[in-house]
Amino acid sequence: MKDALLFNKIAAAVLAAALLAMVTGALSRILYTDHTPEEPAYVIATGESASAAATDEPKKPAGPAPIADMLASADVEKGAKLFKKCGACHDGSKGGPNKVGPNLWNVVNRPKGSHESFGGYSSAMKSFGGEWSYEELNHFLFKPKAYIEGTAMTFAGFKKDKDRANIIAYLRTLSDNPAPLP
């Protein structure tokens, strides 16, 4: 009789432990869901992506509103404040150093991927072609990785039209001879 009672106690303890483990597992799945962000919080540039090498011609997605009209009312001072976000990777001073990205002095109307002393351009940037016109800057700064697929630039972009107009107006001032407004 004692053996049967001991066996029942052990069996009840094992069943209770199994039930507790199942309930705990179910509750933890409900309370703690794994959420993978859509975009990485910080991306380390490692060179050209495989998708950029696979495409023959760069795609230009539909993007932001045209910049020309917005530049007329853009605020250069607000653009200078926004440029601080860029300052982690870019310098904007005349003769200034390259950082993770190229120096942006005189960037408006400069050919893409052409800063003479910067060697870290992705092949996607070098092969994209053209110059950094106001409209090109507008599209690129809206969503860099979508505009030039395979770019090493990890910045997500400026989604607000006014912010892009302000930053582009500021970039225009980074020159001894600023490009005329459109």
Side-chain angles (χ1 to χ4, degrees):
M1 176 96 162
K2 278 188 167 183
D3 288 339
L5 187 59
L6 182 61
F7 176 75
N8 287 343
K9 286 182 179 179
I10 292 172
V14 169
L15 288 174
L19 183 61
L20 181 64
M22 288 177 18
V23 169
T24 304
L27 283 175
S28 68
R29 282 189 295 279
I30 291 169
L31 295 174
Y32 301 103
T33 59
D34 179 27
H35 172 71
T36 305
E38 291 179 21
E39 294 184 11
Y42 185 78
V43 178
I44 298 173
T46 58
E48 179 181 353
S49 71
S51 63
T55 59
D56 292 337
E57 194 172 309
K59 292 187 279 182
K60 293 184 181 180
I67 196 73
D69 293 337
M70 291 185 284
L71 284 174
S73 63
D75 187 332
V76 173
E77 288 180 24
K78 287 182 181 175
K81 288 178 185 173
L82 288 168
F83 186 77
K84 291 179 182 178
K85 291 181 180 182
C86 309
C89 298
H90 296 278
D91 183 78
S93 62
K94 183 177 183 177
N98 292 312
K99 293 182 176 182
V100 174
N103 180 295
L104 296 180
W105 177 261
N106 207 26
V107 70
V108 177
N109 292 335
R110 180 168 77 197
K112 293 183 189 87
S114 69
H115 192 282
E116 62 278 350
S117 65
F118 182 73
Y121 288 112
S122 65
S123 59
M125 180 65 75
K126 286 190 245 179
S127 65
F128 197 79
E131 293 182 342
W132 286 119
S133 67
Y134 292 114
E135 219 35 71
E136 290 284 324
L137 284 166
N138 183 37
H139 284 274
F140 184 69
L141 292 174
F142 177 69
K143 196 167 187 181
K145 288 208 172 278
Y147 191 64
I148 299 181
E149 211 171 294
T151 183
M153 187 158 149
T154 59
F155 183 65
F158 292 100
K159 299 301 175 229
K160 295 179 183 175
D161 291 336
K162 196 67 177 164
D163 286 349
R164 276 191 321 284
N166 292 339
I167 192 84
I168 292 169
Y170 175 72
L171 289 173
R172 176 183 179 266
T173 68
L174 302 180
S175 175
D176 287 329
N177 188 16
L181 289 170

